[in-house]
Amino acid sequence: MRTKNELYQQALRTVAMRRQTARALAQDAQAEAEAAIPGLRHAEEEVRVRGIRCAIAGASGKDRTETAAALAAAKQKLTALLAESGRPADALEPKFTCKRCEDTGAVDGHTCDCVRRVMQQLRRKEIEELSSLSISSFDTMQLDYYPNTVDKTLGESVRSYMAEVLADLRDYAADFSPATRESLLLVGNAGLGKTHAALAIAGEVLQQNYDVIYVSCPDFFGKLEALHFGTDPGGEEETLFQTACNADLLILDDLGTEYITPLTISVLYELINTRMLTHRPTIYTTNITDQTVFMARYTEKVASRMLGGCKMFKFFGADQRLK
């Protein structure tokens, strides 16, 4: 996973390439038009000269009425030449992707929203390579896969219960804010839609330009373990950990399937504690439905910290993957 700064730098390079491409295409269009339209180059030069004279007059405090009128006339002549050839008035101008910043990445000294959109697209692509994010949304969660029969534990049908769960999770995503949203623990047997729901939230939160990190617990903790006990000259272990700590929303998928070691317990506790102290929510998905098993696996200290800081949603039903 890339850090937020790495995404930012990549987004800036992407926007800069857009600007370079737009200017190059405009130069090609200009060369083609000048070759096809007699007098076009002279008309362009006239606009340039008149523009300079108008600017000089304004800078020196002189009356710009005459120079402005001459500039307007030169522009009108240029537009007429383009129109006669079937070209629009802006045919020679670069076609920037972002009209607001003209693909510079900045407006009035601040990062343009287009850079943030590119960052969101890069992060989405990164998560899609690791998961089924591209097909995971609340609209694609099939309620009819959940049995429409009364569950004794719930006292209602599984389908109606899961409809309420998914509605709550949709609301969570729709009005997301790291400062106000609590962490979630999605619990249930395999194949009940926990990961699908977590990724549906991720998709909604990404659209709001928040940074989301998705990791599979076996992959995440396995990589940290390998870096910790192997060679790590670039400090990748610390970067990986800090990236997970600093995400606006972190999704730890399949908790309980990772290989447990003292390092895993230590890292998990520090990750939970750091994100709680900095008010950054985490979504955990797990097949462990028995809290005593949870405590035995992760120690009472870790389990208490996690369970006490999460809103739990239990998933019921039959394995949807089989359906």
Side-chain angles (χ1 to χ4, degrees):
M1 74 183 77
R2 284 173 287 188
T3 66
K4 201 168 185 178
N5 183 60
E6 288 172 336
L7 284 183
Y8 177 70
Q9 296 300 327
Q10 180 61 52
L12 288 180
R13 290 192 290 271
T14 299
V15 171
M17 182 58 70
R18 289 175 177 176
R19 180 174 175 83
Q20 183 178 344
T21 301
R23 291 171 67 88
L25 290 174
Q27 289 175 354
D28 290 344
Q30 182 180 20
E32 186 273 332
E34 287 175 352
I37 306 172
L40 181 63
R41 182 173 296 180
H42 176 74
E44 290 178 290
E45 181 64 16
E46 186 73 10
V47 170
R48 188 184 70 82
V49 171
R50 296 298 182 185
I52 293 173
R53 290 177 181 175
C54 187
I56 292 174
S60 61
K62 295 180 180 179
D63 183 13
R64 295 199 313 164
T65 303
E66 185 176 342
T67 56
L71 175 60
K75 287 182 176 180
Q76 187 174 9
K77 181 179 178 181
L78 175 60
T79 299
L81 282 173
L82 290 171
E84 288 172 5
S85 69
R87 293 173 173 81
D90 63 348
L92 308 182
E93 300 297 324
K95 305 300 187 293
F96 297 116
T97 301
C98 179
K99 302 297 188 294
R100 187 163 177 253
C101 74
E102 295 187 341
D103 294 341
T104 62
V107 178
D108 298 329
H110 299 285
T111 300
C112 184
D113 288 341
C114 70
V115 176
R116 296 186 180 90
R117 287 194 294 271
V118 174
M119 289 176 66
Q120 180 261 339
Q121 291 164 4
L122 290 170
R123 184 66 86 194
R124 178 180 288 273
K125 183 178 180 181
E126 182 178 272
I127 297 175
E128 285 176 348
E129 291 172 352
L130 300 171
S131 70
S132 58
L133 176 66
S134 61
I135 58 172
S136 297
S137 70
F138 288 108
D139 292 336
T140 57
M141 295 199 76
Q142 302 287 338
L143 277 174
D144 55 0
Y145 281 171
Y146 296 100
N148 196 23
T149 54
V150 175
D151 183 277
K152 293 180 180 179
T153 305
L154 297 172
E156 62 178 309
S157 77
V158 173
R159 186 175 300 174
S160 63
Y161 166 81
M162 288 304 302
E164 294 173 5
V165 168
L166 297 182
D168 286 345
L169 294 179
R170 186 191 287 265
D171 289 342
Y172 177 95
D175 191 26
F176 181 83
S177 170
T180 59
R181 283 308 190 190
E182 67 271 60
S183 293
L184 304 180
L185 182 61
L186 310 185
V187 179
N189 294 327
L192 300 184
K194 300 183 300 297
T195 297
H196 192 130
L199 289 171
I201 293 173
E204 295 284 340
V205 173
L206 281 168
Q207 288 184 359
Q208 299 169 47
N209 289 328
Y210 289 109
D211 189 35
V212 179
I213 295 291
Y214 166 88
V215 292
S216 166
C217 285
D219 293 342
F220 178 67
F221 290 109
K223 186 171 185 178
L224 285 174
E225 190 94 12
L227 289 168
H228 185 80
F229 293 107
T231 57
D232 184 21
E236 189 180 351
E237 179 188 1
E238 180 63 19
T239 299
L240 183 62
F241 177 75
Q242 290 300 328
T243 300
C245 282
N246 296 327
D248 295 321
L249 176 64
L250 172 65
I251 297 176
L252 287 178
D253 193 28
D254 274 339
L255 188 68
T257 59
E258 71 285 344
Y259 184 67
I260 286 293
T261 67
L263 179 65
T264 302
I265 299 297
S266 175
V267 169
L268 181 58
Y269 179 79
E270 189 174 351
L271 184 62
I272 294 169
N273 200 50
T274 299
R275 290 187 62 80
M276 286 183 67
L277 292 175
T278 54
H279 303 288
R280 291 184 170 96
T282 304
I283 298 177
Y284 309 88
T285 75
T286 181
N287 296 345
I288 302 175
T289 58
D290 189 332
Q291 290 192 18
T292 58
V293 174
F294 203 92
M295 290 186 179
R297 179 177 177 83
Y298 294 108
T299 74
E300 185 176 351
K301 182 180 178 181
V302 173
S304 174
R305 199 73 170 148
M306 182 186 297
L307 298 175
C310 286
K311 183 175 182 180
M312 185 185 298
F313 287 93
K314 292 186 177 181
F315 282 56
F316 288 83
D319 192 333
Q320 295 184 11
R321 297 188 186 114
L322 299 177
K323 299 181 180 182

